[in-house]
Amino acid sequence: MTTLPTPEHTAGTMIALANRVCANFAAAEVARALAEHSTSQAEHATLTARAEYWESLVNEQWNALCAAIWATAPGGAQVERFLPVRPLTTGHVELRVHDTHARRLVVLLTGAQALAVGAHLTAYGAVSLDRIGQKLDPGLPHVKAAPPFPTEGTTWPPTTPGGADGPPAAAQP
């Protein structure tokens, strides 16, 4: 049986509860799909009973999750009146922030600048979490090491294809 979270529950507790709801929903869906492909009446009945069990857990945990959300925000959560990051039709990105004196600022970035800022913020966040002892490794996919670049037979600077002096000229209409 799932206990109802109190306002003191952390966001991590609510995320864990949401993950359990999702996992049990997936288990119910799998059991229902397997029941549709069962080869006997007994197997069908067993798989259907499993699906109903998982669905009952989903309903119970869903109610607990909703109660946790309402306990955390009893007056309801309000949608922000502005988007803190907003892509513009010009290809730029608008970033709305506050300075140390609580003054509102709007920073206009190019797409490349926005990607660079996002990458830097992600890296700083990862370093900060690492320094306080939270390791990100378990949540990241394994990256296979790339083979080293061959150094034999290469020249510097690299040659251009077909003996061209530089990049191709822009296409003329």
Side-chain angles (χ1 to χ4, degrees), residues 76-132:
Q78 298 296 318
V79 175
E80 289 286 338
R81 291 193 306 258
F82 68 93
L83 295 171
V85 177
R86 183 173 67 136
L88 302 175
T89 57
T90 61
H92 288 81
V93 176
E94 185 178 85
L95 177 64
R96 294 177 177 235
V97 295
H98 293 89
D99 69 5
T100 56
H101 300 290
R103 293 179 295 209
R104 292 183 181 173
L105 301 172
V106 177
V107 180
L108 187 64
L109 303 167
T110 65
Q113 289 171 329
L115 286 172
V117 167
H120 280 88
L121 289 174
T122 302
Y124 290 143
V127 168
S128 298
L129 288 173
D130 185 63
R131 287 186 179 165
I132 63 171

Side-chain angles (χ1 to χ4, degrees), residues 26-89:
E29 289 293 304
V30 168
R32 288 247 182 248
L34 289 173
E36 293 300 317
H37 298 286
S38 60
T39 57
S40 70
Q41 194 66 11
E43 183 183 21
H44 185 271
T46 301
L47 291 169
T48 302
R50 283 186 190 166
E52 289 170 358
Y53 168 75
W54 291 117
E55 287 169 354
S56 69
L57 284 178
V58 167
N59 290 332
E60 178 184 321
Q61 292 168 346
W62 175 259
N63 291 333
L65 179 60
C66 290
I69 292 169
W70 282 108
T72 303
Q78 298 296 318
V79 175
E80 289 286 338
R81 291 193 306 258
F82 68 93
L83 295 171
V85 177
R86 183 173 67 136
L88 302 175
T89 57

